[in-house]
Amino acid sequence: MTKREQRRLEKRQQIIEEKGIICLDNVTAQYPGTDTTALDQVSLRINKGEFVFIVGNSGSGKSTLIKLLLKEITPVEGDIYVGGYELNRLSHRKISFFRRTIGVVFQEFRLLKERTVYDNVAFAQRIIETPVYEIKRNVPEILAMVGLPGKYKASAKDLAGGEQQRVAIARALVNKPSILLADEPTGNLDPQNTREIMKLLEEINELGTTVVVVTHNNQIVDEMRKRVIQLNFGSISSDEEGGYYTYED
Amino acid sequence: MKIRTLSYLIKQGFANIFRNRWYSLASVATISACLFLFGLFYAVVANFQSIVMKAEEGVSVTVFFHNEYDKCEEHTEEQLTTQDQAKELQSRIEARNEVSEVNFITEDEAWEVFAKEYYGENYADGFLDNPLVGEYSYEIFLSDVDAQSALVDWLYSIPQVRKVNYSELTATTLSGANLLIAYVSMGIIAVLLAVSVFLIHSTIAMGISARSVEIMLMKYLGATDFFARFPFVVEGVVIGLIGTIIPLVGIYSLYNYALSYVVERFTMLSNFLNFLTVEEVFHFLVPVSFLVGMGIGFLGSISSARKHLRV
């Protein structure tokens, strides 16, 4: 690591200590291409190693929040810090390096269906130019961790829903991100698989990764008793440690 | 960018072609069809143009001079020219831009040609002297038939020149035909190229749209723009390359076959119509086809991938 890279890393660590691993400071954002407000003066702080649920009805601003955290869109007002990066000052060239610090899991899995489980997970490593010998070591390790040790040769399209989501989680984790962002990760799963996936996410969190789960599923939120941030019409209506899913009118 | 990454991206480009074999096939077929039509049309037009140009090269102007033997026309002492004096004008005529070749025909050569044509082999029997004495002339061939009237005017401005034989109609017809072919072919080639660009771009864009998830994933996983775009560029260029080679091979075989067929079956036609060789046609067709095929493959991939990279 060069001295410059070392300084940048130290600066990011300093930001994480001061502001948390995710920080929104009076953020106002609009729906892309419109002037309708999606998030209005939202402030929140998530510390390193936390497990947080973000809940809310449709149109409450959950998707906008995810887009902001991934720097897909920029806020109209306010500052955002994610993983020590100050997103408002991040150049287009550096966005790709910033995104390597976040693992993303989607509701619809978004696997490369024609490729094997191994290729799907290795794909994430190749993007960050990991040497092949490391990929060969890391991929089986992470597949074992998500409970798919013998499935690396299987085609992604042949897997069951729960297994596909495990592959997606393995892909999100293989690059060792500091944050795992899961957008409705159980939306397409049955109750049994839902519980298993949430248990896996909890285990990942216990290993030190900050986990942010955006969900509609009140049952898992109520069962797991983690921190719950509830959004309502673009504002935070409640933020409670060990909270429940509260239905808003 | 590490070498192993570059090699991985190139491999991915090739792998994408096979993974999306139907889109690849559609893209290759579209490029091939467009370039085949373009090549075929170009071959026909280039031959037409060559035939007209050959005909233009045969257009000549003949110049006669005032001489002491000519009793029909009035002339001053200054205008009278001997054969040797007339010969001295050759360098001045050759210096003109529109002139490609100048032949001086002596009075004896003129009589030999004329007599053979009109009286047969034993023409000399009835004539003790050359009846065309003083009829030495220049036969001037033009490099640009459009400039014929300018040359004729200039020739008439030379005091020693008595008469200039030329055909205004031939020059105008050939020049008009040449211009018409040029305009029509330029128009049709432009339309063909525009249609090709549109079709090829759309097919490649469709293939890339089908993989928007893959591109989006790359961006979410932290791929640089170059990393996300490069396999698509490789794919586009390779598809363009294959799509260019197929019609070129087809046109090469077809043209050679058609040429030998015409030469064998229509010997009379090929005697006065000079068809271009396949090498002459391909001298222009190959670079343009590769430029269009691979260029559109390259640009089409870049622009289509860019749309999906905006995440």
Side-chain angles (χ1 to χ4, degrees):
Chain A
M1 191 182 284
T2 62
K3 278 188 180 172
R4 202 174 170 192
E5 284 169 338
Q6 182 67 37
R7 274 203 304 276
R8 280 183 187 155
L9 192 68
E10 282 167 8
K11 195 185 169 195
R12 286 210 296 275
Q13 289 299 336
Q14 196 186 337
I15 292 174
I16 291 171
E17 278 167 28
E18 280 174 21
K19 310 228 175 232
I21 199 144
I22 293 173
C23 175
L24 273 74
D25 190 8
N26 280 317
V27 169
T28 298
Q30 293 170 337
Y31 291 111
T34 69
D35 48 11
T36 311
T37 303
L39 284 179
D40 189 17
Q41 299 281 313
V42 169
S43 293
L44 68 88
R45 175 185 169 132
I46 296 172
N47 289 321
K48 199 175 169 187
E50 270 195 280
F51 191 118
V52 180
F53 282 114
I54 293 174
V55 299
N57 296 331
S58 297
S60 60
K62 299 192 300 293
S63 301
T64 305
L65 179 61
I66 290 174
K67 284 184 175 143
L68 284 170
L69 296 180
L70 289 169
K71 188 132 174 85
E72 271 188 62
I73 56 170
T74 44
V76 179
E77 209 183 311
D79 296 321
I80 303 175
Y81 301 88
V82 179
Y85 285 90
E86 193 178 344
L87 298 197
N88 287 7
R89 295 176 65 182
L90 203 62
S91 65
H92 176 79
R93 201 173 57 83
K94 286 183 182 162
I95 291 175
S96 53
F97 297 98
F98 151 69
R99 285 186 181 155
R100 293 174 189 187
T101 63
I102 306 178
V104 193
V105 177
F106 307 94
Q107 179 179 353
E108 64 279 20
F109 322 134
R110 295 191 189 171
L111 297 180
L112 303 171
K113 294 281 170 65
E114 302 303 317
R115 301 194 202 179
T116 62
V117 168
Y118 180 92
D119 283 342
N120 267 278
V121 181
F123 184 67
Q125 292 251 278
R126 288 198 170 111
I127 281 170
I128 62 163
E129 302 187 46
T130 310
V132 178
Y133 69 90
E134 278 188 38
I135 298 176
K136 283 180 178 169
R137 191 189 59 209
N138 295 340
V139 175
E141 262 179 33
I142 203 82
L143 283 174
M145 184 190 158
V146 299
L148 296 171
K151 289 274 186 180
Y152 63 95
K153 274 186 181 171
S155 174
K157 65 175 184 292
D158 297 333
L159 300 177
E163 288 176 321
Q164 290 197 27
Q165 194 58 296
R166 282 170 192 269
V167 177
I169 292 171
R171 182 184 61 195
L173 288 176
V174 73
N175 291 341
K176 299 182 174 62
S178 49
I179 304 164
L180 181 68
L181 193 61
D183 184 10
E184 300 282 1
T186 59
N188 284 350
L189 302 178
D190 57 47
Q192 174 66 23
N193 274 310
T194 297
R195 276 194 193 87
E196 284 175 14
I197 291 294
M198 291 316 297
K199 193 167 174 289
L200 179 61
L201 292 179
E202 204 170 16
E203 285 166 12
I204 291 162
N205 176 241
E206 281 162 10
L207 292 170
T209 309
T210 308
V211 178
V212 179
V213 180
V214 176
T215 185
H216 266 114
N217 192 325
N218 60 319
Q219 215 173 344
I220 55 164
V221 174
D222 294 346
E223 270 176 28
M224 288 180 76
R225 305 296 308 275
K226 301 285 183 185
R227 181 179 168 193
V228 180
I229 298 171
Q230 183 132 4
L231 288 172
N232 193 27
F233 295 112
S235 298
I236 294 176
S237 58
S238 70
D239 182 351
E240 204 179 343
E241 193 63 52
Y244 294 96
Y245 195 124
T246 317
Y247 290 93
E248 307 272 351
D249 293 328
Chain B
M1 173 69 53
K2 291 168 183 154
I3 299 285
R4 67 159 183 270
T5 306
L6 199 65
S7 121
Y8 168 75
L9 293 178
I10 292 170
K11 275 186 207 159
Q12 283 304 300
F14 279 94
N16 281 347
I17 295 173
F18 291 101
R19 273 190 209 117
N20 307 283
R21 56 184 75 87
W22 292 112
Y23 278 118
S24 306
L25 208 64
S27 304
V28 168
T30 310
I31 296 174
S32 294
C34 290
L35 291 182
F36 186 78
L37 276 178
F38 165 72
L40 221 54
F41 182 76
Y42 171 74
V44 172
V45 165
N47 272 291
F48 261 118
Q49 208 142 31
S50 156
I51 289 164
V52 172
M53 278 172 78
K54 280 267 185 265
E56 277 184 14
E57 281 170 19
V59 173
S60 66
V61 167
T62 313
V63 187
F64 296 95
F65 297 90
H66 290 287
N67 59 74
E68 57 181 316
Y69 307 103
D70 181 17
K71 308 293 180 204
C72 303
E73 288 188 45
E74 287 183 6
H75 36 248
T76 61
E77 278 296 315
E78 280 177 358
Q79 286 178 317
L80 287 176
T81 319
T82 64
Q83 187 162 279
D84 291 337
Q85 285 168 331
K87 266 187 180 174
E88 287 164 15
L89 283 169
Q90 183 152 352
S91 57
R92 279 179 67 192
I93 298 169
E94 278 173 341
R96 301 274 303 180
N97 284 336
E98 67 272 32
V99 172
S100 67
E101 193 185 334
V102 180
N103 296 326
F104 186 76
I105 297 161
T106 61
E107 50 201 15
D108 291 337
E109 285 166 349
W111 170 232
E112 197 179 342
V113 172
F114 180 83
K116 260 189 189 169
E117 214 167 285
Y118 286 92
Y119 303 109
E121 282 303 313
N122 302 318
Y123 64 90
D125 295 353
F127 298 92
L128 295 174
D129 298 315
N130 181 356
L132 293 183
V133 67
E135 291 303 307
Y136 37 87
S137 64
Y138 276 111
E139 191 181 23
I140 306 168
F141 292 94
L142 296 154
S143 57
D144 178 11
V145 79
D146 283 339
Q148 184 185 257
S149 56
L151 178 72
V152 171
D153 289 345
W154 178 77
L155 289 168
Y156 271 126
S157 71
I158 300 170
Q160 293 91 334
V161 170
R162 171 171 56 95
K163 190 183 173 191
V164 180
N165 278 351
Y166 65 100
S167 169
E168 185 89 53
L169 185 66
T170 312
T172 322
T173 309
L174 285 173
S175 167
N178 208 355
L179 208 64
L180 187 72
I181 291 170
Y183 281 142
V184 170
S185 60
M186 270 198 294
I188 295 177
I189 285 174
V191 170
L192 268 176
L193 280 179
V195 171
S196 307
V197 168
F198 175 75
L199 279 177
I200 296 165
H201 183 270
S202 305
T203 320
I204 289 173
M206 229 156 57
I208 287 179
S209 295
R211 277 171 295 149
S212 55
V213 170
E214 187 179 333
I215 302 174
M216 201 168 60
L217 256 180
M218 284 189 192
K219 292 303 289 175
Y220 280 130
L221 291 168
T224 58
D225 283 354
F226 178 83
F227 188 100
R229 209 175 281 163
F230 196 73
F232 293 101
V233 171
V234 171
E235 188 181 342
V237 170
V238 172
I239 285 176
L241 187 72
I242 300 169
T244 307
I245 291 171
I246 293 171
L248 284 179
V249 170
I251 291 169
Y252 188 90
S253 316
L254 197 69
Y255 190 83
N256 262 339
Y257 175 77
L259 206 61
S260 54
Y261 183 81
V262 169
V263 170
E264 275 173 29
R265 300 291 287 269
F266 306 101
T267 321
M268 283 284 287
L269 201 67
S270 58
N271 279 345
F272 64 92
L273 295 181
N274 278 312
F275 293 107
L276 293 174
T277 63
V278 76
E279 285 77 20
E280 284 170 319
V281 173
F282 270 53
H283 185 70
F284 170 82
L285 196 58
V286 168
V288 170
S289 297
F290 276 108
L291 198 72
V292 172
M294 290 169 71
I296 296 170
F298 174 78
L299 294 174
S301 317
I302 285 224
S303 67
S304 306
R306 184 175 290 160
K307 267 189 226 162
H308 302 287
L309 283 171
R310 290 188 195 125
V311 289

